[in-house]
Structure formats: C-alpha cells, structure tokens
C-alpha cells in the first residue's frame, strides 16, 4: 500500500514538474517579447503606437482577469486541437501556458519601466537601433526584475497546476483530489499540500538567490 502510494507521489510530482516547467518556459518565451512590445509602444515609448498598445493591453488583461478554472474549461477545444486530448498532463500545459504568457508580459513591462530613461536616451543619441536598445540596454538593466517576475510566475503555476487536477490534468492536484478528497484519505491531501509548500519554497528561494546574483553584477 505505502509502496504504491510512494510511486503515485513520485509520478504525480514528476507530472507537476513537467506542467510547470514546460508552461513556464513557453510562457516566458511568449510573455517576454509581449512585455517588451507593451513597453515600447506605450506613451513616450521608443516605438510609440497607442492603438497597438491598447489592443495588446486589452487582450493581456482579458486573459489575466479570467479565473483559471474557467480558462481551463474555455480552452478545451483549443487544447484538443493542439495535443489531441483535453485530459492529461500535456493537455494541462496548454491552459497553463495561456495563463502564464500575459502574466509574464505585465511583469516584464513593469520591470522595464524601472530602467532609467537616461540610458535609453543616451543609446538613442549614439544612433542605437531599437533592437540594440532592447538587447543591450533594456533587457540587461531590467534582468533582475524580469527574473523576479518569472519566479512569481513559476510559483503561481504550481498553484494553477494543482487546480488543473480538477479536470484530470494529472500531477499532485489530481492525486490530492482523487485520493485525498474522493477516497477520504486526508493524510494524502496533507502530504500533497506539504510537498507543494516545499516545492514553492525551493522555487522562490532559487529565484531570490538568482535575483541577488544578477543585482550584484
């Protein structure tokens, strides 16, 4: 019995890692450029374009304001189209990624706003292109803030991944619901919660350490 449960915990934790890792990475790949676009096209931005900024901003805000449990259900047709199924670990990655990308975008935009405008103006006066300003000024200067934002995103995704268990997404949330709630095994639920707490603490600690290292540089 305990050997079987141990194997279930290990496999469920691995599923959670996959969900959080893949969705976090893809969310960052999509969200960072999106955040840069929001910053550049905003008022007084290097590429000021308020209509584009407003349209992208509305889409980002709409996704961010949608409760994740509703988002899970709403994107089921799209999830089926992408991975061929609406249940399972890979199916849960789709809504998790959709939730992560706009979250990352706003955090990146906020981090970029903290960059000294004098540095941008100095780069412009030296004839730097928009790409050079982004790659050599904005992103390096905002990197600690971006990493802090990504840490927050990964922590949030851990909670979202547990919620994905409600629709058969796999992972620790699914284990807690199936065994802890439906089979009335409170010790399983408690163990799942403790594992998630430790996991979040490790992610947050590593992120904070990385931010400190980058800030010192």
């Amino acid at each position: 019995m305990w050997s079987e449960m141990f194997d279930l915990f290990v496999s469920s934790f691995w599923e959670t890692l996959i969900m959080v890792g893949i969705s976090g990475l893809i969310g960052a790949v999509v969200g960072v450029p999106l955040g840069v676009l929001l910053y550049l096209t905003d008022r007084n931005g290097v590429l000021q374009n308020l209509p584009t900024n407003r349209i992208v901003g509305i889409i980002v805000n709409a996704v961010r304001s949608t409760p994740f449990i509703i988002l899970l259900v709403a994107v089921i047709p799209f999830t089926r189209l992408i991975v061929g199924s609406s249940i399972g670990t890979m199916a849960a990655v789709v809504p998790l990624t959709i939730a992560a990308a706009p979250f990352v975008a706003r955090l990146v935009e906020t981090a970029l706003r903290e960059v000294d405008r004098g540095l941008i103006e100095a780069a412009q006066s030296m004839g730097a292109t928009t790409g050079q300003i982004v790659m050599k000024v904005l992103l390096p200067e905002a990197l600690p803030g971006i990493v802090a934002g990504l840490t927050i995103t990964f922590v949030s995704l851990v909670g979202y991944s547990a919620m994905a268990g409600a629709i058969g997404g796999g992972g620790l949330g699914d284990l807690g619901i199936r065994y802890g709630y439906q089979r009335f095994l409170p010790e399983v639920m408690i163990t799942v919660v403790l594992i998630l707490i430790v996991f979040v603490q490790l992610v947050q600690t590593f992120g904070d350490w990385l931010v400190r290292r980058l800030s010192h540089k």
Side-chain angles (χ1 to χ4, degrees):
M1 171 65 179
W2 287 110
S3 175
E4 180 186 341
M5 288 304 301
F6 179 79
D7 291 340
L8 277 172
F9 273 110
V10 171
S11 62
S12 296
F13 181 67
W14 177 244
E15 289 170 354
T16 296
L17 275 180
I18 291 173
M19 284 190 285
V20 172
I22 295 177
S23 61
L25 288 174
I26 299 175
V29 169
V30 175
V32 171
L34 206 56
V36 172
L37 177 65
L38 284 168
Y39 175 78
L40 293 177
T41 58
D42 201 2
R43 195 178 304 277
N44 299 321
V46 178
L47 298 175
Q48 179 175 314
N49 188 326
L50 295 182
T52 298
N53 184 272
R54 296 296 178 265
I55 292 169
V56 175
I58 288 170
I59 295 170
V60 165
N61 289 340
V63 177
R64 285 182 64 212
S65 61
T66 304
F68 184 67
I69 194 70
I70 294 175
L71 184 66
L72 272 172
V73 178
V75 300
I76 282 177
F78 181 66
T79 301
R80 284 203 188 105
L81 181 66
I82 298 296
V83 299
S85 173
S86 60
I87 59 173
T89 303
M90 292 312 298
V93 168
V94 177
L96 283 169
T97 302
I98 293 173
F103 192 71
V104 171
R106 282 303 186 191
L107 291 172
V108 168
E109 181 190 16
T110 301
L112 292 174
R113 290 183 189 279
E114 299 299 317
V115 177
D116 186 357
R117 286 200 61 83
L119 294 173
I120 300 170
E121 291 167 1
Q124 287 176 314
S125 68
M126 290 187 287
T129 64
T130 301
Q132 289 172 328
I133 291 172
V134 170
M135 299 305 296
K136 296 184 178 181
V137 179
L138 286 173
L139 291 180
E141 288 295 320
L143 193 56
I146 292 173
V147 171
L150 290 175
T151 302
I152 294 170
T153 303
F154 275 97
V155 168
S156 299
L157 285 173
V158 173
Y160 287 165
S161 72
M163 205 183 301
I167 63 162
L172 289 168
D174 184 44
L175 179 66
I177 290 169
R178 282 192 294 120
Y179 286 84
Y181 178 70
Q182 294 175 349
R183 299 191 186 186
F184 304 104
L185 295 172
E187 63 272 19
V188 173
M189 185 71 79
I190 292 169
T191 306
V192 165
V193 171
L194 289 175
I195 292 173
L196 289 173
I197 289 172
V198 172
F199 184 39
V200 165
Q201 288 293 329
L202 290 173
V203 171
Q204 188 67 57
T205 300
F206 176 72
D208 291 344
W209 172 81
L210 198 54
V211 169
R212 286 196 298 271
R213 286 292 300 271
L214 292 170
S215 297
H216 290 156
K217 290 181 181 180

